[in-house]
Amino acid sequence: IYQAKLTNIMSGKVIALQSFGKINSKKTGNFVVNFSFRSEKYFFLSRASFTNDQIFIEMPDEVFILQRRKSERIPVVTSSGLKCIIKTHRYAILAMTAKVDDFGPTGCRLHFPFNTPILTVDSVARMEFRLGTKMILEEDCSIRHAKLSYENKKPIQTLGVEFKNPILAARFDGHV
């Protein structure tokens, strides 16, 4: 494991890093490279070569982001009566009811038995959360993850949503 800082971008495909310590390895090979940028973690597999205090890395065509939640989520028990009504998506009125699988101060996971309309990643939907008949939160939510699957040949959409205003969402935390 080496820690280093970026010192030079060479020819657009190779970067040079200055090591924070002496490098004992002279071998060239494939390595997993990871770095943080704006509170997100990224990684990629690359060939690297070493000198006494520098690391040269070939930049790959793809860099992957490590998906991590910013806050913990609590599983929601079906008997709690918590549900979500997806009121609008891209300004179209929907009024679809979704089951809430988990809930946290910054977002939640939902699923519902519809294949249309497909709610897409990076779109915004207006959602209303109800506990029984009482509305406890109405919020614009960004769709961060969307997956269409089938259960007994019936379509199920699963969504990972992020609340646009986590402060409002935090007032709900702990009521589930």
Side-chain angles (χ1 to χ4, degrees):
I1 297 176
Y2 299 102
Q3 291 184 340
K5 68 177 178 178
L6 178 67
T7 57
N8 194 6
I9 298 176
M10 306 160 63
S11 74
K13 287 296 273 178
V14 175
I15 60 173
L17 304 167
Q18 180 71 41
S19 175
F20 291 133
K22 182 135 175 83
I23 297 173
N24 296 325
S25 177
K26 296 284 187 204
K27 65 181 176 179
T28 299
N30 287 326
F31 294 88
V32 174
V33 178
N34 66 62
F35 63 95
S36 296
F37 180 70
R38 293 187 180 161
S39 77
E40 300 286 352
K41 294 191 183 294
Y42 299 86
F43 65 96
F44 58 90
L45 182 65
S46 178
R47 287 194 51 78
S49 57
F50 303 90
T51 65
N52 286 336
D53 63 350
Q54 283 197 315
I55 305 168
F56 297 94
I57 298 171
E58 295 174 18
M59 287 302 297
D61 292 329
E62 293 184 307
V63 175
F64 302 95
I65 185 170
L66 180 62
Q67 296 289 333
R68 306 288 298 195
R69 285 197 181 110
K70 293 181 181 173
S71 61
E72 189 174 342
R73 293 200 187 155
I74 302 166
V76 175
V77 181
T78 305
S79 62
S80 70
L82 180 64
K83 65 182 175 182
C84 173
I85 299 167
I86 303 169
K87 297 175 79 171
T88 61
H89 177 251
R90 294 190 172 164
Y91 307 106
I93 297 172
L94 298 181
M96 297 187 310
T97 300
K99 293 182 181 175
V100 182
D101 296 325
D102 61 33
F103 198 93
T106 59
C108 64
R109 184 178 65 216
L110 309 170
H111 75 272
F112 52 98
F114 297 104
N115 63 349
T116 55
I118 300 283
L119 301 173
T120 55
V121 172
D122 292 331
S123 62
V124 175
R126 184 79 178 168
M127 299 184 184
E128 179 181 294
F129 294 87
R130 294 186 159 273
L131 195 53
T133 58
K134 182 180 178 189
M135 185 190 60
I136 52 173
L137 176 66
E138 184 170 345
E139 181 70 15
D140 286 330
C141 301
S142 295
I143 311 297
R144 292 292 177 217
H145 304 281
K147 182 176 91 172
L148 180 63
S149 58
Y150 291 87
E151 248 176 53
N152 298 325
K153 297 184 181 182
K154 294 182 181 177
I156 303 288
Q157 273 194 73
T158 302
L159 302 177
V161 301
E162 179 179 58
F163 301 126
K164 287 280 199 174
N165 186 348
I167 296 168
L168 273 178
R171 73 175 184 198
F172 179 76
D173 195 28
H175 292 157
V176 177

